Amino acid sequence: MGNNEFVDHANDILINVYGFWPVQFTHGKGVYLFDTDKNKYLDFGAGIAVNALGYAHPRYTKAIKNQIDKLHMGLCYVADPYRIEAAETILAVSEFEQVFFCSTGAEAVEGALKIARKWAKAEKNKDAYEIIYVKDSFHGRTMGALSVNGQQQYREGYEPLLSGTHEAKFNDLESVKNLVNANTCAIIVEPVMGEGGIITATKEFLSGLRTLCDENNICLIFDEVQCGMGRLGTIFAYEHFDVVPDLVCMAKGLGAGFPVGAILGMKKFTKHITAGTHGSTYGGNPLACTAVTTVTKELLRPGFLENVDHVGQVLKDGLEEISKDTNLISDVRGIGMMLAANFNGGPVKDFVKKCLKNGLIILSCGENSIRLVPPLILTEKEAKKGLSILKQTLDDIK
Ligand SMILES: Cc1ncc(COP(=O)(O)O)c(C=O)c1O
């Protein structure tokens, strides 16, 4: 991998929040990345479930290039045609009436919490600001998002966070019910917990939350930042579970690499956000909106989502085969192209680096799991190639 002096240099000049890997990517093509030494990597990480269309996707790059030549940044006071088209395109495939564009997942979560609080103060009572979240969830790193984060390690050192947030258990409706009172304004949940280990909600849990929210006039927020935009083989994750939330938070795959997030919701809730009460300078700028429109249209192309289902299943079956062969991985889980398995061969982060050395990018998640979230354009052949590198890397450490 050549000399790694750049890692020391990076650690010197960049605030080291990531623990930099010993590699520098220079470019990508399809599902492959290339480094400064011209090594090729099959990418099952996709910028942490972001690069839905892979690298140098012809229609995506063409659309962004065209847009940058025309108008790269507008003015948020102006509903330019790009913002309108993105809104119409994403709303048309959703259940929702309005959308707000921002730039990141955490910002989408922040905005959703603000909408819920504003609605509840106006429609319920002035003290209705309590929010329920679940253990092991991840919603981002800003102070509001951290306040509904169910993983203590991300909160440590930053407290006190928002008041009025309460932790329930995932897939345990009773634990949520026990926290509901007249001041509950929102419940926030990931339909599939990503950072928490690719843990899927049961349909009963999500539909139970829906009923609970309907009966108690509570805003149900789904955080689909990681599991939305085709990752589960449906545009929105909620479609997979047949449960429609009141607000949904999107990012990552929404721009497929261009930073853009969104909150979609019904006017009952969103109408409480009026001019001047929320905003985002870059949110929904022409480049971001072109990315949203282009990505959404790609996902709707015949066969695209079917590919996620089919190749996702090939990956999952392959992981299960490997787990039968070696006890180094177990508990294969996930939906579509959002997959994980427990890693039993030591610290997973070391194994991730070994895979990298062998030309395969995978991620970690949860306590000690491997996570596969490849570009959604992955083919069966590429999936099998990745599985064979994974198998070889596991054999190396046996
Ligand atoms: C479910 C979920 N919500 C929110 C976020 C935060 O997104 P961002 O890093 O774009 O702020 C993430 C990021 O991993 C996420 O997985």
Side-chain angles (χ1 to χ4, degrees):
M1 208 155 280
N3 94 45
N4 293 332
E5 270 175 15
F6 68 88
V7 175
D8 294 336
H9 181 54
N11 287 337
D12 191 36
I13 61 165
L14 295 165
I15 297 178
N16 185 9
V17 297
Y18 301 110
F20 293 113
W21 290 5
V23 64
Q24 286 184 303
F25 301 125
T26 52
H27 61 287
K29 180 97 188 116
V31 295
Y32 288 96
L33 279 167
F34 299 85
D35 72 10
T36 37
D37 294 331
K38 300 197 168 52
N39 295 308
K40 188 176 173 182
Y41 301 84
L42 181 49
D43 183 13
F44 281 7
I48 316 189
V50 169
N51 301 326
L53 305 179
Y55 303 93
H57 184 278
R59 285 182 292 275
Y60 177 82
T61 48
K62 186 173 171 202
I64 300 282
K65 280 179 191 162
N66 282 347
Q67 188 59 50
I68 212 164
D69 283 341
K70 275 197 291 199
L71 183 66
H72 74 294
M73 174 72 195
L75 179 63
C76 46
Y77 304 131
V78 176
D80 56 53
Y82 317 109
R83 194 182 297 247
I84 297 287
E85 190 183 9
E88 284 176 352
T89 309
I90 192 77
L91 287 172
V93 292
S94 82
E95 304 287 329
F96 301 108
E97 294 170 329
Q98 286 197 316
V99 58
F100 171 78
F101 292 114
C102 52
S103 301
T104 67
E107 201 188 346
V109 169
E110 293 285 334
L113 299 180
K114 285 176 74 178
I115 293 172
R117 279 199 168 174
K118 203 125 196 310
W119 159 77
K121 275 177 188 283
E123 301 278 332
K124 288 186 77 166
N125 72 70
K126 69 172 180 30
D127 294 322
Y129 60 81
E130 295 189 17
I131 300 163
I132 300 172
Y133 63 94
V134 296
K135 186 163 170 18
D136 294 331
S137 59
F138 183 86
H139 298 292
R141 310 223 182 221
T142 51
M143 294 299 248
L146 273 184
S147 309
V148 292
N149 223 300
Q151 299 186 57
Q152 187 54 30
Q153 79 264 26
Y154 297 119
R155 306 165 67 115
E156 260 159 31
Y158 300 116
E159 280 129 331
L161 300 172
L162 286 188
S163 56
T165 66
H166 305 286
E167 185 175 289
K169 291 193 189 118
F170 193 60
N171 278 339
D172 181 343
L173 192 58
E174 279 311 304
S175 76
V176 185
K177 279 186 182 164
N178 289 339
L179 293 171
V180 168
N181 63 51
N183 293 336
T184 307
C185 85
I187 298 173
I188 182 164
V189 68
E190 293 162 84
V192 180
M193 292 201 290
E195 302 305 306
I198 314 286
I199 316 290
T200 302
T202 61
K203 276 195 183 188
E204 295 69 38
F205 181 58
L206 295 183
S207 65
L209 289 181
R210 180 66 278 169
T211 308
L212 188 63
C213 288
D214 290 341
E215 287 173 355
N216 294 277
N217 200 22
I218 295 168
C219 178
L220 181 59
I221 305 170
F222 280 3
D223 179 347
E224 299 198 5
V225 166
Q226 189 160 156
C227 61
M229 287 313 277
R231 189 124 312 262
L232 306 188
T234 49
I235 301 243
F236 293 94
Y238 68 75
E239 295 170 58
H240 185 88
F241 300 88
D242 250 337
V243 176
V244 182
D246 297 310
L247 300 174
V248 66
C249 305
M250 311 295 290
K252 290 191 184 274
L254 182 66
F258 195 90
V260 55
I263 309 156
L264 288 84
M266 299 307 280
K267 284 184 184 159
K268 171 184 169 186
F269 298 93
T270 56
K271 73 177 183 199
H272 292 278
I273 298 290
T274 49
T277 61
H278 191 59
S280 174
T281 301
Y282 297 116
N285 83 6
L287 283 172
C289 284
T290 297
V292 171
T293 303
T294 309
V295 173
T296 309
K297 286 183 175 167
E298 284 301 315
L299 263 54
L300 291 170
R301 285 174 89 88
F304 189 99
L305 293 172
E306 289 76 3
N307 184 66
V308 178
D309 277 340
H310 172 66
V311 179
Q313 194 58 48
V314 169
L315 270 182
K316 195 172 181 185
D317 291 346
L319 285 175
E320 257 151 17
E321 275 302 302
I322 295 173
S323 80
K324 275 185 210 144
D325 223 58
T326 163
N327 54 12
L328 286 172
I329 64 165
S330 57
D331 189 21
V332 173
R333 57 193 181 269
I335 303 168
M337 290 201 191
M338 188 170 182
L339 302 170
N342 291 352
F343 180 69
N344 314 315
V348 67
K349 290 203 160 60
D350 295 346
F351 181 68
V352 166
K353 299 252 169 68
K354 289 198 166 82
C355 288
L356 180 72
K357 219 166 187 175
N358 288 345
L360 176 70
I361 299 166
I362 61 165
L363 305 174
S364 59
C365 64
E367 274 189 17
N368 209 50
S369 293
I370 56 167
R371 169 170 42 161
L372 310 186
V373 280
L376 305 180
I377 56 162
L378 189 78
T379 62
E380 186 170 338
K381 198 169 158 207
E382 290 158 346
K384 287 184 173 158
K385 180 160 185 205
L387 286 165
S388 83
I389 302 175
L390 186 72
K391 172 86 171 50
Q392 183 57 54
T393 315
L394 287 166
D395 287 346
D396 291 348
I397 62 164
K398 250 186 196 166

